[in-house]
Amino acid sequence: MEQAALVLEGGSLRCLFTAGVLDVFMEGELEFPYVIGVSAGAMSGLNYISHQPRRTARINIDYVNDSRYLGMKSLLKTHSIFNFDFLFGELSEELIPFDGNTFGESEKQFVAVSTDCAAGTPLYHKKGESEDILLAARASSSMPLLAPMVRVDGAECLDGGITNPIPYQKAMEDGFQKIVLILTRQEGYRKKASKAMQAVYPRYYKKYPQLVKALLQMEEHYNRIQEDISALEREGRLFVIRPEAPVSVSRIEKDTEKLEDLYTAGRRVAFRRMNALQDYLKE
């Protein structure tokens, strides 16, 4: 496992699939020395490093219909559809405490990916090097149009999914030979560009032309990455865990039964793939 990296795709509340997989990993003491996550993947990665099974699920199921956490009230009050002040404040300090000591003392490397809005390129915030890794995770999860930019490590940042939605290449660049991906979409999924959004981005982010360029290329970039992943998976160079059926959970899904089902699906796929995963890691 010394040369194994864990890569976590984002997807907002589709992270319930990732949560199910990671909980099975934690319960089975399957430890990765390097974890890199984007957006909700970064948030899930925090709870993996702090070794807190079920925490991601509890937050996103128990509080999904709480206006303090998610919804128009938060958007109007904080300019963010997800209330990160509540998430990193009362929720993480009192209601479902985040084990910051275990996270901070862990020898695992953790990287949160965000997008540098001025440059239109990805930024990689590393635990122990970033000025504030929790703030970096917040930046990584700040969706365009639905959250304000977050200033961290000297840059105005937004969601890492804009520029590097599945950062397996970064794990390779950092020297890891075994790469395990947890994706939040089924095999063969491809994104389609929204003409409405493509019209909005240039106006809303007119002061950030490089960000606009990245936003307009986002779907094409994502689809190209998925093609590359499929090729590398066939070659045995990547191990991919993904939903086995199309995911109907939306980015701000309110149906807790659907969220529970997605979490359970993540657990089921993790158990089913465990022997193959262990074989891959031993090769």
Side-chain angles (χ1 to χ4, degrees):
M1 291 287 289
E2 291 183 1
Q3 291 299 315
L6 182 61
V7 179
L8 308 176
E9 183 183 12
S12 194
L13 289 175
R14 289 189 294 274
C15 74
L16 267 298
F17 178 84
T18 303
V21 176
L22 292 180
D23 282 0
V24 171
F25 285 3
M26 284 187 273
E27 291 160 9
E29 300 297 330
L30 185 59
E31 307 284 349
F32 289 82
Y34 176 103
V35 180
I36 183 168
V38 179
S39 195
M43 293 292 191
S44 301
L46 293 175
N47 297 320
Y48 175 75
I49 300 290
S50 67
H51 200 82
Q52 292 180 271
R54 189 68 187 180
R55 185 171 187 269
T56 297
R58 287 182 63 199
I59 289 171
N60 291 294
I61 295 173
D62 294 356
Y63 287 89
V64 71
N65 289 303
D66 189 321
S67 62
R68 293 175 297 173
Y69 177 49
L70 169 64
M72 290 304 299
K73 182 178 179 181
S74 174
L75 187 62
L76 293 172
K77 182 179 179 180
T78 70
H79 305 291
S80 178
I81 195 75
F82 284 92
N83 186 347
F84 293 115
D85 292 337
F86 174 69
L87 172 60
F88 287 105
E90 183 180 357
L91 207 161
S92 291
E93 293 170 1
E94 300 176 17
L95 300 174
I96 309 179
F98 175 66
D99 189 348
N101 289 333
T102 297
F103 176 82
E105 293 170 3
S106 173
E107 294 183 357
K108 296 183 182 71
Q109 297 182 61
F110 175 72
V111 184
V113 184
S114 74
T115 292
D116 182 330
C117 295
T121 55
L123 284 176
Y124 302 101
H125 310 274
K126 297 183 178 181
K127 173 177 169 280
E129 297 181 11
S130 173
E131 64 185 29
D132 187 335
I133 194 61
L134 297 183
L135 187 64
R138 175 174 178 161
S140 178
S141 305
S142 294
M143 295 184 287
L145 304 180
L146 295 177
M149 295 176 184
V150 177
R151 186 165 187 82
V152 59
D153 296 335
E156 297 291 337
C157 301
L158 279 175
D159 197 319
I162 299 168
T163 49
N164 197 353
I166 311 172
Y168 69 93
Q169 289 181 323
K170 175 60 176 173
M172 290 178 172
E173 291 169 5
D174 284 348
F176 291 88
Q177 304 300 312
K178 298 288 185 177
I179 313 290
V180 177
L181 275 58
I182 302 180
L183 306 185
T184 54
R185 289 290 196 179
Q186 75 277 8
E187 186 172 9
Y189 173 80
R190 298 295 183 268
K191 285 188 175 182
K192 296 181 180 179
S194 165
K195 291 184 178 180
M197 289 299 96
Q198 290 193 327
V200 169
Y201 290 141
R203 296 198 298 269
Y204 195 85
Y205 293 116
K206 60 185 178 181
K207 295 181 180 179
Y208 299 87
Q210 295 305 312
L211 173 64
V212 171
K213 182 178 179 180
L215 286 165
L216 295 178
Q217 296 175 344
M218 193 163 46
E219 290 81 12
E220 180 183 353
H221 183 213
Y222 179 88
N223 295 341
R224 188 166 59 249
I225 287 174
Q226 286 285 14
E227 294 287 348
D228 292 343
I229 287 171
S230 294
L232 291 168
E233 185 181 16
R234 287 192 296 270
E235 296 170 8
R237 295 175 61 189
L238 299 176
F239 190 93
V240 183
I241 298 175
R242 55 166 71 85
E244 296 176 335
V247 177
S248 62
V249 167
S250 72
R251 291 194 298 176
I252 53 172
E253 182 65 57
K254 293 289 190 173
D255 187 331
T256 57
E257 184 174 343
K258 290 174 68 174
L259 294 172
E260 282 279 11
D261 288 347
L262 186 58
Y263 171 77
T264 300
R267 292 185 62 87
R268 183 172 59 249
V269 173
F271 280 123
R272 185 174 298 155
R273 302 294 309 282
M274 186 59 70
N275 288 339
L277 172 58
Q278 290 175 337
D279 289 342
Y280 168 78
L281 295 172
K282 291 175 183 176
E283 289 175 359

